Amino acid sequence: MAAGTTFVQGRATCHNNASGQHSMLFRLQRHAASIRSYSGLNPSRKAELRQEAATTCCRVTSRSSVSRATVNAIAVDAPPVENLETCPRGAHWQVHKFGGTCVASADRLREAAQLVCSDLAEQKVVVVSAMGSHPTSLIKVTDVLLNMVAKASRQDEGFLLDLAAIQEKHVETAKLLLVEGHALNSFVSRLLDDIANLKAMLRAISIAGMATEAFTDFVVGHGELWSALLFSATVKALGYDCQFMDTREVLVVTPTSDGNSVDIQYGLSNDRLDAWVRKNGAPEVIVATGFIAKNPLGQVTTLKRNGSDYSATTIGALFQASQITIWTDVDGVYSADPRKVPEAVCLPSLSYHEAWELSYFGANVLHPRTTLPAMRYSIPIAIRNFFNLAAPGTQISDVILDIQTAGFQTVKGFATIDHVALINVEGTGMVGVPGTASTLFSAVRDANVNVIMISQASSEHSICFAVKQVDADRTLHCLHERFNDAIRSGRIHHIEAIDNCCILAAVGQQMASRKGVSATMFSALAKSNINIRSIAQGCSEYNITVLIDGKDSVRALRAVHSRFYLATLPLAVGIVGPGAIGGTFMRQLQQQKEALGAEYNMDVRVLGITGSRQMVLSEHGINLEEWEEQYTGQAEPVDMARFADHLANSYIPNTVIIDATASEAPPALYLQWMQKGIHIITPNKKLGSGPLDQYLALRHFQRESYIHFFYEATVGAGLPVIATLKHLVDTGDRILKVEGIFSGTLSYIFNMFSQDKPFSDIVTEAKALGYTEPDPRDDLAGMDVARKVTILAREAGLNLELGDVAVQSLVPAPLQNVASADDFMQQLPQYDADLAQQVSEADAAGECLRFVGVVDCVQSSGSVELKRYPKSHPFAQLSGSDNIIAFTTQRYQQQPLIIRGPGAGAEVTAGGVFSDLLRLAAYLGAPS
């Protein structure tokens, strides 16, 4: 009777230490288990336990969404209890499972044993894997055992060397753990006997030149036997009552129909557990072998891949334990593979169904079947990091507990299955014909091919399904054979395989009650320029599965994960051209970094900076306060392909290149960059005014994808010229004319030009102030304005080439080919008279001279010329280097729409680039 009391109190302490999140409902489960398990309890104690369970029931149902019916179902009496000669099952048992890395050396085995002994649970079962790899011994026992079988099958006697290495690893470990004495001698004696048996078995395999599955299972299971014996001896050496359990004496399994897993025979296994207890008793600690079992015929077999975890949950179900803890080398189950998504988070809790779905779709912490035995008895599974005991891990339990502790996170995690082929079967003869799908999948089953996902159009015109890439050819062959007549008659048009695909799954039990989950996921993929080939979703909505191109696997995973899990919008930036504009932009970005995070939920990181000769790359972001030092001190030779790949393959799903150059080289790469999923922002005019076919190809790709090309700063620096023109066109206004002073340099020159001051003196003054290019002819020739006219003309719907724009150059013809800028400036005064006469004539007529660009949409033409305007005209009112643009449209015909302001300079141009960056962020999901 006292034992029952001790177990309830002691287990409560232990469980509160393990996980306080689910304590009340677990306490209820524990009370129910104690009532079921201890037939010897006197009526008064049994009544006390029932009252405590009832009290806990009230507390649980009052604090959470758990239904009283669910709680009562936990607390009811079980069927008739076992007699005294059966295993004392119940919540006083705690199961610990240690993976191969946790028992890979003597030190780790000792630490694991100490961890188990420190558990306050009344009784513990420990399940161990074979010893894994460790710096002191790189041998991974299970892998070596499998290789030994393979070598023996090939009649390669190298298996003898492997066998000797395994023997040495275990003997050395035993010496470090057990020192001298009976325990060491006993283990080494057992090990040598096993080694002798294995050698005989492997020689037989070598003689036969083949190995049956039964022989392989017999050989490969020895790793768990030896590690369990070592663990058991270590626990005994620490002074605890401990017994070794060879699970081949307890677990009975039968293979599944596909041969890839096994089903537990619970009736037979429970009987054998009772027999084992009658023979060995029920000690404080039982150390059991993972991975191995027997079939009903008594033949040795295994629990297949990840069988040790499956063994642990099966043992937990047989003992009806209160918790199963799986110790591994990661902190728990993550929201995505952290190797692919560095910002993945460790999930505090999962439901059984969520864990099953994630493991099915590739999350490698648990095998899909691992959760099934625990679900049978509602036993929580804790995934903990043996090497980081401070990490709370992930608790896998019933969904009701999960809701109570984890809130309402709609999507719990994302996983991918790579190397998949999509098989597509189409034909009008399939419509309305019963049994077509049955025939199809029967053929696939007969070919021993597993179907991963299925999607069918409601019209029944096509059925597509995914299989592993290695099974694609076999699947096509079997379908062509089965449907040969239908193909020849035309009822089925074709059967094809789309290779190199990937399955991406979003998993979450709460998706069923939330609207817009699919839309959010699909939008995240679309905005990353990822095409969805097929979609599957069950009515339970535990997962949404899409099939995409294999090359997009990692980018897709990062895109959907960031959309659901990151509070901020991550944006990776590459700067091409860290000169005046690029450098100013980075300074502005650094100054606004905190504000971007606070106001726009943006996390902008510059991952690369490149010039024409050198570049610097960073995985996690360049410190913009020190970018110049990094660019000069850590630079490497420029490689534009590597620069683009670095951005495209970064862990940040949203990437943008900012081309802050005036060179023709980067624009030639824009389309390639966009095809990699990289957005483009630029003040560079060379693409917008370059060859028309190149421009149209890029704009076509932009419209067909979710990749953006922003170029506001190409015409008016920070002025909203392009945006205004787009707004007018998009709202249906008809553009008649766009006319403006687009050059800050020429604006300054003609604002200052008068009869009192020669033209050459003003050019000299503008050059000294830094308003002109180093060679002023670049400004005076008018080609910069012509490029802006070409850009605006194309934006207004005219397909003009740069050469179609008529340009009046202000460079005198004799000076166009002068060798240097200095020679040009020395000879320019010789030509002042002509412009002086023009300004005099204009002034006499009450007008002024202005160098303007004109887009005439009525005449479908563009021009750059020196024109006269009345001094009352808005163009005559400018000062300094301001720009001014007038839009004459059907709506703004009597009074043109005017935009005026600074149109040149690094500050305002960088500001225009920054504005485009914010527009891009708004498109990608940042608050606007």
Side-chain angles (χ1 to χ4, degrees):
M1 313 316 122
T5 307
T6 302
F7 121 65
V8 170
Q9 294 172 343
R11 188 63 212 117
T13 304
C14 174
H15 191 267
N16 285 336
N17 289 338
S19 174
Q21 294 177 329
H22 309 316
S23 58
M24 277 197 287
L25 200 47
F26 287 163
R27 194 180 307 137
L28 177 60
Q29 292 173 324
R30 187 169 61 248
H31 296 330
S34 66
I35 296 170
R36 292 194 295 264
S37 301
Y38 283 83
S39 58
L41 289 176
N42 61 40
S44 62
R45 178 56 186 151
K46 204 164 187 178
E48 290 174 12
L49 286 171
R50 288 188 182 283
Q51 180 58 43
E52 191 170 354
T55 303
T56 304
C57 171
C58 294
R59 290 177 183 171
V60 172
T61 53
S62 64
R63 294 190 186 185
S64 71
S65 57
V66 182
S67 70
R68 184 172 295 275
T70 301
V71 175
N72 287 339
I74 297 174
V76 297
D77 275 346
V81 297
E82 304 90 346
N83 59 43
L84 294 176
E85 292 194 1
T86 60
C87 175
R89 299 168 175 82
H92 58 294
W93 288 100
Q94 172 103 219
V95 176
H96 292 269
K97 186 269 174 178
F98 292 93
T101 55
C102 304
V103 294
S105 68
D107 288 341
R108 291 182 183 177
L109 272 163
R110 186 180 296 109
E111 291 170 8
Q114 291 169 343
L115 180 62
V116 170
C117 293
S118 67
D119 185 351
L120 298 179
E122 185 177 342
Q123 291 179 289
K124 283 85 68 173
V125 182
V126 179
V127 179
V128 292
S129 298
M131 294 181 71
S133 177
H134 185 267
T136 60
S137 174
L138 299 179
I139 292 174
K140 194 172 183 180
V141 174
T142 299
D143 289 351
V144 175
L145 288 168
L146 285 168
N147 287 335
M148 285 163 49
V149 175
K151 287 179 180 179
S153 299
R154 299 194 304 267
Q155 299 180 330
D156 176 359
E157 292 207 349
F159 68 81
L160 294 172
L161 296 176
D162 293 338
L163 196 56
I166 286 181
Q167 177 179 319
E168 181 183 5
K169 180 183 179 85
H170 286 88
V171 169
E172 292 302 316
T173 302
K175 288 178 179 179
L176 292 171
L177 280 173
L178 307 176
V179 198
E180 298 293 337
H182 174 72
L184 176 60
N185 294 336
S186 176
F187 172 77
V188 172
S189 176
R190 169 68 183 268
L191 175 68
L192 294 177
D193 287 345
D194 289 341
I195 293 291
N197 291 334
L198 286 177
K199 186 180 295 184
M201 174 71 76
L202 291 165
R203 285 200 180 279
I205 292 173
S206 180
I207 292 170
M210 59 171 291
T212 65
E213 184 178 358
F215 283 4
T216 302
D217 288 347
F218 174 82
V219 173
V220 79
H222 278 76
E224 279 72 17
L225 283 169
W226 297 327
S227 61
L229 286 166
L230 283 171
F231 201 108
S232 174
T234 305
V235 173
K236 289 178 181 177
L238 292 172
Y240 287 81
D241 179 19
C242 179
Q243 187 68 40
F244 164 75
M245 174 189 282
D246 183 345
T247 50
R248 293 178 298 186
E249 299 175 18
V250 174
L251 295 184
V252 182
V253 301
T254 53
T256 55
S257 58
D258 59 8
N260 293 324
S261 188
V262 295
D263 290 324
I264 309 298
Q265 300 302 305
Y266 284 97
L268 289 173
S269 298
N270 272 307
D271 291 343
R272 294 194 181 186
L273 176 59
D274 291 337
W276 188 92
V277 169
R278 285 195 295 270
K279 177 181 177 182
N280 299 281
E284 185 176 358
V285 180
I286 297 174
V287 180
T289 57
F291 188 53
I292 54 177
K294 285 186 177 180
N295 62 26
L297 300 177
Q299 298 168 329
V300 174
T301 186
T302 68
L303 275 66
K304 311 305 179 185
R305 187 170 70 89
N306 285 353
S308 292
D309 288 349
Y310 195 12
S311 299
T313 54
T314 300
I315 292 292
L318 294 178
F319 279 87
Q320 297 182 25
S322 60
Q323 178 153 315
I324 301 162
T325 303
I326 296 178
W327 295 95
T328 181
D329 55 1
V330 294
D331 285 346
V333 181
Y334 280 79
S335 54
D337 187 341
R339 295 168 299 182
K340 298 177 180 178
V341 184
E343 293 171 328
V345 299
C346 185
L347 300 170
S349 59
L350 287 170
S351 72
Y352 293 121
H353 284 289
E354 288 169 336
W356 190 94
E357 295 277 358
L358 280 174
S359 59
Y360 176 81
F361 286 104
N364 57 6
V365 175
L366 285 176
H367 186 271
R369 295 181 69 85
T370 299
T371 59
L372 299 180
M375 291 174 66
R376 186 183 182 97
Y377 292 99
S378 296
I379 303 171
I381 304 171
I383 309 296
R384 299 287 304 279
N385 192 342
F386 178 71
F387 304 98
N388 182 17
L389 298 181
T394 301
Q395 197 84 2
I396 300 171
S397 59
D398 186 84
V399 63
I400 297 194
L401 304 180
D402 185 66
I403 292 174
Q404 185 178 353
T405 59
F408 288 90
Q409 176 65 46
T410 305
V411 178
K412 280 297 187 66
F414 301 90
T416 56
I417 302 176
D418 295 321
H419 310 300
V420 168
L422 181 67
I423 308 298
N424 185 41
V425 181
E426 289 186 11
T428 54
M430 297 166 55
V431 178
V433 178
T436 301
S438 173
T439 304
L440 188 155
F441 291 113
S442 294
V444 174
R445 179 202 60 202
D446 294 344
N448 197 31
V449 172
N450 180 50
V451 174
I452 303 172
M453 69 167 279
I454 303 170
S455 180
Q456 180 177 8
S458 58
S459 65
E460 301 182 56
H461 176 71
S462 69
I463 299 175
C464 62
F465 57 94
V467 300
K468 293 180 180 178
Q469 184 66 59
V470 294
D471 295 330
D473 290 341
R474 187 161 79 253
T475 305
L476 287 177
H477 179 72
C478 78
L479 291 178
H480 277 102
E481 279 193 343
R482 185 65 60 91
F483 291 99
N484 184 48
D485 291 341
I487 294 172
R488 286 192 298 176
S489 66
R491 297 195 307 274
I492 291 182
H493 298 160
H494 63 267
I495 301 172
E496 63 175 348
I498 301 173
D499 296 327
N500 302 317
C501 295
C502 164
I503 287 176
L504 169 66
V507 173
Q509 196 148 341
Q510 291 307 303
M511 294 193 300
S513 58
R514 293 299 178 91
K515 299 178 178 66
V517 176
S518 298
T520 302
M521 180 178 177
F522 298 159
S523 174
L525 293 173
K527 288 179 179 179
S528 293
N529 200 38
I530 295 168
N531 183 48
I532 298 173
R533 291 186 176 274
S534 182
I535 302 168
Q537 179 178 10
C539 62
S540 65
E541 296 188 58
Y542 286 142
N543 80 71
I544 301 171
T545 307
V546 299
L547 188 137
I548 58 178
D549 286 340
K551 62 182 176 60
D552 295 326
S553 173
V554 174
R555 187 152 52 93
L557 190 60
R558 291 170 179 171
V560 295
H561 184 272
S562 67
R563 183 63 183 85
F564 282 91
Y565 262 93
L566 299 185
T568 58
L569 174 76
L571 195 57
V573 178
I575 305 292
V576 179
I581 296 172
T584 303
F585 168 77
M586 284 188 278
R587 176 175 53 78
Q588 292 177 352
L589 182 60
Q590 172 61 25
Q591 292 171 348
Q592 291 296 110
K593 191 171 182 63
E594 290 187 11
L596 291 176
E599 297 178 24
Y600 295 97
N601 291 334
M602 290 174 60
D603 179 12
V604 182
R605 304 184 189 185
V606 175
L607 299 190
I609 303 172
T610 183
S612 58
R613 294 185 178 85
Q614 64 188 43
M615 67 180 184
V616 61
L617 306 176
S618 170
E619 288 292 331
H620 302 290
I622 295 169
N623 183 350
L624 293 183
E625 293 180 346
E626 303 172 354
W627 74 265
E628 290 174 286
E629 290 83 353
Q630 292 185 53
Y631 182 66
T632 55
Q634 303 174 22
E636 56 186 285
V638 67
D639 182 339
M640 295 306 292
R642 183 162 171 257
F643 182 82
D645 287 341
H646 174 73
L647 286 167
N649 298 327
S650 78
Y651 68 93
I652 299 176
N654 307 304
T655 56
V656 56
I657 286 179
I658 294 175
D659 173 20
T661 72
S663 168
E664 294 183 353
L669 300 172
Y670 286 178
L671 186 57
Q672 294 179 31
W673 292 344
M674 292 173 74
Q675 288 169 343
K676 292 177 181 289
I678 302 173
H679 306 282
I680 306 294
I681 295 174
T682 186
N684 189 327
K685 295 178 279 292
K686 297 299 168 58
L687 187 284
S689 61
L692 183 61
D693 57 348
Q694 184 179 345
Y695 169 82
L696 292 177
L698 185 142
R699 294 305 301 270
H700 175 75
F701 180 83
Q702 180 188 8
R703 284 190 293 270
E704 293 295 317
S705 69
Y706 275 80
I707 303 302
H708 298 283
F709 172 51
F710 291 126
Y711 46 95
E712 182 65 75
T714 56
V715 174
L719 298 177
V721 179
I722 300 290
T724 301
L725 182 54
K726 279 179 176 289
H727 173 76
L728 294 171
V729 172
D730 292 346
T731 57
D733 201 355
R734 183 185 172 205
I735 309 300
L736 303 177
K737 180 187 289 186
V738 181
E739 186 176 20
I741 298 172
F742 297 109
S743 168
T745 301
L746 295 170
S747 176
Y748 175 83
I749 288 172
F750 282 97
N751 284 336
M752 303 300 296
F753 188 27
S754 67
Q755 299 181 59
D756 301 328
K757 204 166 190 178
F759 181 77
S760 59
D761 286 356
I762 298 174
V763 173
T764 302
E765 182 180 307
K767 186 174 186 295
L769 291 171
Y771 287 157
T772 73
E773 296 293 332
D775 188 337
R777 284 176 291 184
D778 293 340
D779 296 294
L780 298 176
M783 288 309 298
D784 183 67
V785 177
R787 290 189 179 279
K788 295 178 180 180
V789 168
T790 304
I791 292 170
L792 290 173
R794 291 174 177 178
E795 205 65 41
L798 303 180
N799 287 334
L800 292 186
E801 293 278 12
L802 179 61
D804 297 332
V805 178
V807 180
Q808 178 185 349
S809 174
L810 298 179
V811 179
L815 301 184
Q816 289 179 1
N817 296 318
V818 170
S820 68
D822 290 340
D823 290 343
F824 168 75
M825 292 302 298
Q826 289 176 3
Q827 299 180 44
L828 184 60
Q830 302 173 23
Y831 301 91
D832 283 340
D834 180 52
L835 281 173
Q837 181 179 350
Q838 292 187 52
V839 77
S840 176
E841 292 174 355
D843 188 60
E847 296 175 336
C848 62
L849 295 178
R850 293 293 183 261
F851 195 73
V852 298
V854 180
V855 177
D856 189 334
C857 294
V858 177
Q859 299 297 323
S860 298
S861 65
S863 62
V864 176
E865 56 189 312
L866 187 63
K867 293 182 66 174
R868 289 165 51 169
Y869 291 91
K871 292 185 178 180
S872 60
H873 194 278
F875 286 11
Q877 309 303 313
L878 288 185
S879 60
S881 60
D882 280 2
N883 285 8
I884 188 169
I885 300 93
F887 296 95
T888 303
T889 72
Q890 193 169 25
R891 295 173 188 161
Y892 294 93
Q893 194 164 359
Q894 300 301 319
Q895 187 71 31
L897 176 63
I898 301 289
I899 296 175
R900 172 180 172 176
E907 286 290 338
V908 292
T909 304
V913 170
F914 207 149
S915 176
D916 275 347
L917 185 70
L918 294 180
R919 287 177 61 206
L920 173 64
Y923 277 109
L924 295 176
S928 56

